[in-house]
Amino acid sequence: MEVDNSEFDAALREVAAVGAVTLVSPYDRVRVTEWLRKLHAQPGDSEEAARRRNEYAQLLRIMATRGIVHGIYMKPPPEGPLPPLAESLGEELRALIPQLPRGGPVAPALMHRSPDGTAFLAAQRAPGGGVLCYMAVTPDSAL
């Protein structure tokens, strides 16, 4: 199965063409450029790798096209492979609020996507006992 990277490519083009140009701070433009290079260098050959880098690209696109950069994008990208976005955002939040417990790897216990791409289901264990479930459904196969 070949991975479709068109959404990722479109996000990078939009950030480069619109977002990075509209940022007021030259330091923000440099950081965004560093993140674009990092994301472009990430492998996208498996579905998991493509999803991971696309999550980062979409968040960067949302911020940069609105003329703001904050959170994890205020620092240079990490060395090596990128951790899941949820993990990075959790660590960023924990750095701001030291009383929060340290997070760990975010890995769903169950993850399923329908063959036609119209439904997605994920479930994972919640701290303290319990299960967190997420389901997304769309009438078309835009997932």
Side-chain angles (χ1 to χ4, degrees), residues 41-130:
Q42 294 297 298
D45 49 354
S46 72
E47 188 173 335
E48 176 60 34
R51 182 181 317 116
R52 184 173 291 183
R53 72 180 190 165
N54 192 42
E55 288 173 349
Y56 279 91
Q58 295 302 327
L59 182 58
L60 182 59
R61 180 188 60 80
I62 290 167
M63 287 184 199
T65 56
R66 283 158 181 76
I68 58 167
V69 178
H70 61 86
I72 60 173
Y73 299 109
M74 291 299 289
K75 300 176 202 156
E79 295 294 323
L82 291 171
L85 180 61
E87 195 174 312
S88 293
L89 295 176
E91 286 302 315
E92 181 73 19
L93 189 58
R94 186 177 170 276
L96 296 172
I97 308 169
Q99 297 83 2
L100 290 175
R102 179 158 174 76
V106 179
L110 166 82
M111 189 166 44
H112 179 72
R113 178 187 233 166
S114 66
D116 63 354
T118 60
F120 178 81
L121 174 69
Q124 74 183 56
R125 219 177 8 212

Side-chain angles (χ1 to χ4, degrees), residues 9-42:
D9 294 337
L12 289 190
R13 278 194 301 276
E14 187 174 356
V15 171
V18 179
V21 176
T22 61
L23 293 170
V24 176
S25 168
Y27 302 108
D28 287 346
R29 289 193 297 270
V30 169
R31 280 191 292 271
V32 166
T33 303
E34 289 175 350
W35 273 97
L36 286 172
R37 284 189 186 125
K38 175 70 174 188
L39 292 172
H40 189 266
Q42 294 297 298

